[in-house]
PDB file of all heavy atoms in Angstrom:
ATOM      1  N   SER A  97     -25.760  10.344 -11.556  1.00  0.00           N
ATOM      2  CA  SER A  97     -25.347   9.952 -12.916  1.00  0.00           C
ATOM      3  C   SER A  97     -23.861  10.174 -13.076  1.00  0.00           C
ATOM      4  O   SER A  97     -23.209   9.384 -13.775  1.00  0.00           O
ATOM      5  CB  SER A  97     -26.125  10.692 -13.972  1.00  0.00           C
ATOM      6  OG  SER A  97     -25.974  12.121 -13.842  1.00  0.00           O
ATOM      7  N   GLU A  98     -23.279  11.271 -12.540  1.00  0.00           N
ATOM      8  CA  GLU A  98     -21.801  11.562 -12.716  1.00  0.00           C
ATOM      9  C   GLU A  98     -20.988  10.576 -11.871  1.00  0.00           C
ATOM     10  O   GLU A  98     -20.036   9.978 -12.371  1.00  0.00           O
ATOM     11  CB  GLU A  98     -21.572  12.941 -12.247  1.00  0.00           C
ATOM     12  CG  GLU A  98     -22.166  13.993 -13.133  1.00  0.00           C
ATOM     13  CD  GLU A  98     -22.340  15.390 -12.580  1.00  0.00           C
ATOM     14  OE1 GLU A  98     -22.020  15.615 -11.373  1.00  0.00           O
ATOM     15  OE2 GLU A  98     -22.622  16.416 -13.358  1.00  0.00           O
ATOM     16  N   ILE A  99     -21.532  10.148 -10.784  1.00  0.00           N
ATOM     17  CA  ILE A  99     -20.815   9.214  -9.954  1.00  0.00           C
ATOM     18  C   ILE A  99     -20.779   7.830 -10.676  1.00  0.00           C
ATOM     19  O   ILE A  99     -19.728   7.128 -10.703  1.00  0.00           O
ATOM     20  CB  ILE A  99     -21.500   9.037  -8.568  1.00  0.00           C
ATOM     21  CG1 ILE A  99     -21.285  10.433  -7.735  1.00  0.00           C
ATOM     22  CG2 ILE A  99     -20.807   7.972  -7.758  1.00  0.00           C
ATOM     23  CD1 ILE A  99     -22.091  10.499  -6.429  1.00  0.00           C
ATOM     24  N   GLY A 100     -21.919   7.414 -11.175  1.00  0.00           N
ATOM     25  CA  GLY A 100     -22.031   6.230 -11.913  1.00  0.00           C
ATOM     26  C   GLY A 100     -21.101   6.184 -13.152  1.00  0.00           C
ATOM     27  O   GLY A 100     -20.500   5.193 -13.428  1.00  0.00           O
ATOM     28  N   ALA A 101     -21.088   7.290 -13.948  1.00  0.00           N
ATOM     29  CA  ALA A 101     -20.260   7.311 -15.033  1.00  0.00           C
ATOM     30  C   ALA A 101     -18.797   7.265 -14.763  1.00  0.00           C
ATOM     31  O   ALA A 101     -18.087   6.696 -15.463  1.00  0.00           O
ATOM     32  CB  ALA A 101     -20.616   8.646 -15.831  1.00  0.00           C
ATOM     33  N   CYS A 102     -18.408   7.853 -13.649  1.00  0.00           N
ATOM     34  CA  CYS A 102     -17.005   7.967 -13.317  1.00  0.00           C
ATOM     35  C   CYS A 102     -16.511   6.694 -12.566  1.00  0.00           C
ATOM     36  O   CYS A 102     -15.340   6.474 -12.442  1.00  0.00           O
ATOM     37  CB  CYS A 102     -16.814   9.213 -12.438  1.00  0.00           C
ATOM     38  SG  CYS A 102     -15.261  10.128 -12.767  1.00  0.00           S
ATOM     39  N   ARG A 103     -17.432   5.976 -11.978  1.00  0.00           N
ATOM     40  CA  ARG A 103     -17.071   4.834 -11.105  1.00  0.00           C
ATOM     41  C   ARG A 103     -16.066   3.828 -11.796  1.00  0.00           C
ATOM     42  O   ARG A 103     -15.103   3.393 -11.186  1.00  0.00           O
ATOM     43  CB  ARG A 103     -18.398   4.127 -10.714  1.00  0.00           C
ATOM     44  CG  ARG A 103     -18.112   3.017  -9.646  1.00  0.00           C
ATOM     45  CD  ARG A 103     -19.411   2.305  -9.297  1.00  0.00           C
ATOM     46  NE  ARG A 103     -19.034   1.178  -8.463  1.00  0.00           N
ATOM     47  CZ  ARG A 103     -19.206   1.189  -7.147  1.00  0.00           C
ATOM     48  NH1 ARG A 103     -19.706   2.239  -6.544  1.00  0.00           N
ATOM     49  NH2 ARG A 103     -18.867   0.124  -6.445  1.00  0.00           N
ATOM     50  N   PRO A 104     -16.268   3.584 -13.061  1.00  0.00           N
ATOM     51  CA  PRO A 104     -15.317   2.492 -13.679  1.00  0.00           C
ATOM     52  C   PRO A 104     -13.895   3.010 -13.683  1.00  0.00           C
ATOM     53  O   PRO A 104     -12.945   2.203 -13.559  1.00  0.00           O
ATOM     54  CB  PRO A 104     -15.863   2.358 -15.135  1.00  0.00           C
ATOM     55  CG  PRO A 104     -17.274   2.781 -15.041  1.00  0.00           C
ATOM     56  CD  PRO A 104     -17.445   3.801 -13.986  1.00  0.00           C
ATOM     57  N   TRP A 105     -13.736   4.381 -13.732  1.00  0.00           N
ATOM     58  CA  TRP A 105     -12.345   4.926 -13.756  1.00  0.00           C
ATOM     59  C   TRP A 105     -11.665   4.548 -12.349  1.00  0.00           C
ATOM     60  O   TRP A 105     -10.561   4.104 -12.275  1.00  0.00           O
ATOM     61  CB  TRP A 105     -12.288   6.365 -13.953  1.00  0.00           C
ATOM     62  CG  TRP A 105     -12.681   6.900 -15.243  1.00  0.00           C
ATOM     63  CD1 TRP A 105     -13.568   7.929 -15.458  1.00  0.00           C
ATOM     64  CD2 TRP A 105     -12.233   6.500 -16.545  1.00  0.00           C
ATOM     65  NE1 TRP A 105     -13.651   8.179 -16.849  1.00  0.00           N
ATOM     66  CE2 TRP A 105     -12.874   7.234 -17.575  1.00  0.00           C
ATOM     67  CE3 TRP A 105     -11.362   5.450 -17.019  1.00  0.00           C
ATOM     68  CZ2 TRP A 105     -12.640   7.107 -18.899  1.00  0.00           C
ATOM     69  CZ3 TRP A 105     -11.064   5.291 -18.436  1.00  0.00           C
ATOM     70  CH2 TRP A 105     -11.804   6.109 -19.250  1.00  0.00           C
ATOM     71  N   LEU A 106     -12.458   4.766 -11.351  1.00  0.00           N
ATOM     72  CA  LEU A 106     -11.947   4.531  -9.923  1.00  0.00           C
ATOM     73  C   LEU A 106     -11.641   3.098  -9.701  1.00  0.00           C
ATOM     74  O   LEU A 106     -10.730   2.692  -9.108  1.00  0.00           O
ATOM     75  CB  LEU A 106     -12.956   5.114  -8.935  1.00  0.00           C
ATOM     76  CG  LEU A 106     -12.554   5.065  -7.435  1.00  0.00           C
ATOM     77  CD1 LEU A 106     -11.204   5.850  -7.149  1.00  0.00           C
ATOM     78  CD2 LEU A 106     -13.679   5.484  -6.449  1.00  0.00           C
ATOM     79  N   GLU A 107     -12.580   2.284 -10.248  1.00  0.00           N
ATOM     80  CA  GLU A 107     -12.523   0.856 -10.095  1.00  0.00           C
ATOM     81  C   GLU A 107     -11.154   0.330 -10.741  1.00  0.00           C
ATOM     82  O   GLU A 107     -10.507  -0.483 -10.211  1.00  0.00           O
ATOM     83  CB  GLU A 107     -13.664   0.089 -10.639  1.00  0.00           C
ATOM     84  CG  GLU A 107     -14.849   0.233  -9.781  1.00  0.00           C
ATOM     85  CD  GLU A 107     -16.144  -0.311 -10.295  1.00  0.00           C
ATOM     86  OE1 GLU A 107     -16.220  -0.632 -11.569  1.00  0.00           O
ATOM     87  OE2 GLU A 107     -17.174  -0.437  -9.529  1.00  0.00           O
ATOM     88  N   ARG A 108     -10.950   0.915 -11.892  1.00  0.00           N
ATOM     89  CA  ARG A 108      -9.667   0.471 -12.652  1.00  0.00           C
ATOM     90  C   ARG A 108      -8.442   1.046 -11.952  1.00  0.00           C
ATOM     91  O   ARG A 108      -7.390   0.306 -11.863  1.00  0.00           O
ATOM     92  CB  ARG A 108      -9.687   0.956 -14.087  1.00  0.00           C
ATOM     93  CG  ARG A 108     -10.648   0.161 -14.946  1.00  0.00           C
ATOM     94  CD  ARG A 108     -10.878   0.588 -16.345  1.00  0.00           C
ATOM     95  NE  ARG A 108      -9.585   0.648 -17.125  1.00  0.00           N
ATOM     96  CZ  ARG A 108      -9.496   1.236 -18.275  1.00  0.00           C
ATOM     97  NH1 ARG A 108     -10.594   1.832 -18.821  1.00  0.00           N
ATOM     98  NH2 ARG A 108      -8.345   1.301 -18.945  1.00  0.00           N
ATOM     99  N   GLN A 109      -8.503   2.199 -11.297  1.00  0.00           N
ATOM    100  CA  GLN A 109      -7.369   2.686 -10.458  1.00  0.00           C
ATOM    101  C   GLN A 109      -7.096   1.725  -9.303  1.00  0.00           C
ATOM    102  O   GLN A 109      -5.954   1.328  -9.029  1.00  0.00           O
ATOM    103  CB  GLN A 109      -7.598   4.122 -10.043  1.00  0.00           C
ATOM    104  CG  GLN A 109      -7.606   5.149 -11.134  1.00  0.00           C
ATOM    105  CD  GLN A 109      -8.067   6.442 -10.590  1.00  0.00           C
ATOM    106  OE1 GLN A 109      -9.054   6.708  -9.977  1.00  0.00           O
ATOM    107  NE2 GLN A 109      -7.095   7.520 -10.901  1.00  0.00           N
ATOM    108  N   ILE A 110      -8.208   1.314  -8.596  1.00  0.00           N
ATOM    109  CA  ILE A 110      -8.098   0.481  -7.453  1.00  0.00           C
ATOM    110  C   ILE A 110      -7.408  -0.868  -7.863  1.00  0.00           C
ATOM    111  O   ILE A 110      -6.580  -1.424  -7.236  1.00  0.00           O
ATOM    112  CB  ILE A 110      -9.476   0.255  -6.739  1.00  0.00           C
ATOM    113  CG1 ILE A 110      -9.875   1.605  -6.165  1.00  0.00           C
ATOM    114  CG2 ILE A 110      -9.339  -0.792  -5.669  1.00  0.00           C
ATOM    115  CD1 ILE A 110     -11.349   1.642  -5.644  1.00  0.00           C
TER     116      ILE A 110
END
Side-chain angles (χ1 to χ4, degrees):
S97 60
E98 294 164 347
I99 296 172
C102 219
R103 187 182 173 101
W105 294 133
L106 185 62
E107 285 173 348
R108 283 174 63 189
Q109 287 176 312
I110 294 171

